[in-house]
Amino acid sequence: MSHIFTPVKSAVPSIQKVILAITGGIAAYKSAILARLLIKEGFEVRVIMTQGAQQFITSLTLQALTGNEVHTELLDTKAEAGMGHIELAKWADLIVIAPASANTLARLAMGMADDLLTTVCLATAAPVMIAPAMNQQMWSHPAVQLNVQTLGDMGYEIIEPDNGVQACGDTGAGRLPEPDMLLREVINFKARLTVPQCLTGKKVTITAGPTVEAIDPVRFLSNHSTGKMGFALARACRDAGAEVTLIAGGKVSLMTPLQVKRVDVLSANDMLQAAIRSAEAGCDIFIATAAVADYRTRDAAPQKIKKTQDEMILNLVKNPDILATISHSYPTMFVMGFAAETQNVEKYAQGKLAAKSLDMIACNDVSRTDIGFASDENAMTVFFADKYQKQPVELKKMSKTNIAEHLINLIGDVLD
Ligand code: PMT
């Protein structure tokens, strides 16, 4: 029988909550790194470990890395009182089993429900990705190959193991791919399954984070931007099929999204030069989330300024407006700005939409501490240029990942 487990393409609006299931194998240590990478990529991660997995790596490691209790038991009153196995199965948008042992493959193929992992896999509507890892001889055994075939037919997504030298000294197929490759598989799968490919073939440039304006070699003017909003947008554009250049200002310490070209800059002038280079190289869409310092010091001191005076005056000069420069120099480019305001939020945003000749602007209230700067969440109102005849759109408070996905859909609508 084939396709008794229907891939849930239309039933998954977004993939954000991931269960990482670890089974017994020497490659289990790679799953700790994968958990970290998934979180940095913006996923919410909960971990299931089989008894076998706990022989190779402790649940404490995974608990510390994810900040969540690790799920190990099917029939544990304490666990069931918290997030029970059915709740866990419903919670997940995606289950990733890595590494998946030969034993786990066999039990999943048989439809067994004799531990937490197999039971959750039966009880979930979420798609399941399986990354088998084992000795090369085991991997090539007809029983294992038959189970993999059966699982594939059921709709499970199989991640092919790598070829190479194995922990046991053998050489051949059966190695768990490196964590960054597994992450890439998850991202591509998510894009295939859930994201409308509305930016396929488009080149997008995004500015993100703060700019840093030197006062002297050790001091600078900057702001509270972390780059989270811009990086979330870079991931959303990539997932929608775009080729993305991300110009990160200041000292953004976030992980570069996979398949995204990152350019690090410090000051507003550096950011402008990088933006122009990117536009010249060919760019269809420019999105400015960066919190650019409006002013820089007229002359940054070449040496550390000594504290000889009680008062000090800094002479500041206006920085170039990167967004306005790009929008006025490249009139056919689709240009979107952000507006960070603390009062009269919508009025100022609409003013910027017109003054900077933008196609779209998203305004957020940065006087709120629960959204905007540094927060993982945001809320905003989006305004469009008159020519699109589109009503403003309100995006209620949600994760920056979700906000970014909504914004990309809005861009897709307008470009359509
Ligand atoms: O980075 P996070 O911690 O995630 O925080 C996200 C954010 C709050 C920084 C983001 O959501 C946001 O609001 N970004 C815009 C910040 C800003 O500088 O807004 P503004 O209203 O001052 O500028 C309007 C627009 O012009 C922005 O798109 C800005 O990037 C651009 N600009 C401003 C000045 C300048 N010299 N050059 C510009 O390109």
Side-chain angles (χ1 to χ4, degrees), residues 207 209 224-230 268 288-294 319-324 336-341 352 356 361 364 366 372-375 378 380 400:
T207 66
H224 299 298
S225 172
T226 56
K228 285 180 183 176
M229 190 67 247
T289 65
V292 184
D294 288 327
N319 264 330
D321 193 302
I322 300 162
L323 180 58
M336 175 188 175
F338 272 64
E341 305 293 349
K352 286 174 185 174
K356 301 192 189 197
I361 194 160
N364 44 194
V366 286
F373 284 124
S375 165
N378 214 345
M380 49 190 55
K400 283 181 176 168

Side-chain angles (χ1 to χ4, degrees), residues 206-250:
I206 299 171
T207 66
T211 61
V212 160
E213 311 295 338
I215 296 173
D216 68 16
V218 295
R219 304 179 182 95
F220 56 81
L221 298 171
S222 193
N223 58 64
H224 299 298
S225 172
T226 56
K228 285 180 183 176
M229 190 67 247
F231 277 55
L233 271 159
R235 290 192 296 268
C237 287
R238 172 205 61 198
D239 290 347
E243 187 183 320
V244 185
T245 301
L246 178 59
I247 304 173

Side-chain angles (χ1 to χ4, degrees), residues 284-287 332-336 359-360 388 411 414-415:
D284 305 295
I285 300 169
F286 184 81
I287 306 176
T332 57
M333 198 183 283
F334 185 93
V335 181
M336 175 188 175
D359 292 284
M360 193 168 143
Y388 297 115
I411 293 178
V414 169
L415 291 176

Side-chain angles (χ1 to χ4, degrees), residues 353-413:
L353 177 71
K356 301 192 189 197
S357 308
L358 307 179
D359 292 284
M360 193 168 143
I361 194 160
C363 68
N364 44 194
D365 183 346
V366 286
S367 66
R368 286 172 58 177
T369 52
D370 60 328
I371 58 165
F373 284 124
S375 165
D376 287 328
E377 297 186 309
N378 214 345
M380 49 190 55
T381 311
V382 184
F383 296 93
F384 303 87
D386 289 343
K387 62 182 174 189
Y388 297 115
Q389 298 186 324
K390 255 180 100 66
Q391 290 301 311
V393 173
E394 185 85 38
L395 297 176
K396 301 253 179 263
K397 183 174 159 182
M398 60 185 112
S399 72
K400 283 181 176 168
T401 301
N402 281 155
I403 289 265
E405 288 166 359
H406 281 289
L407 290 174
I408 297 316
N409 284 340
L410 289 174
I411 293 178
D413 277 356

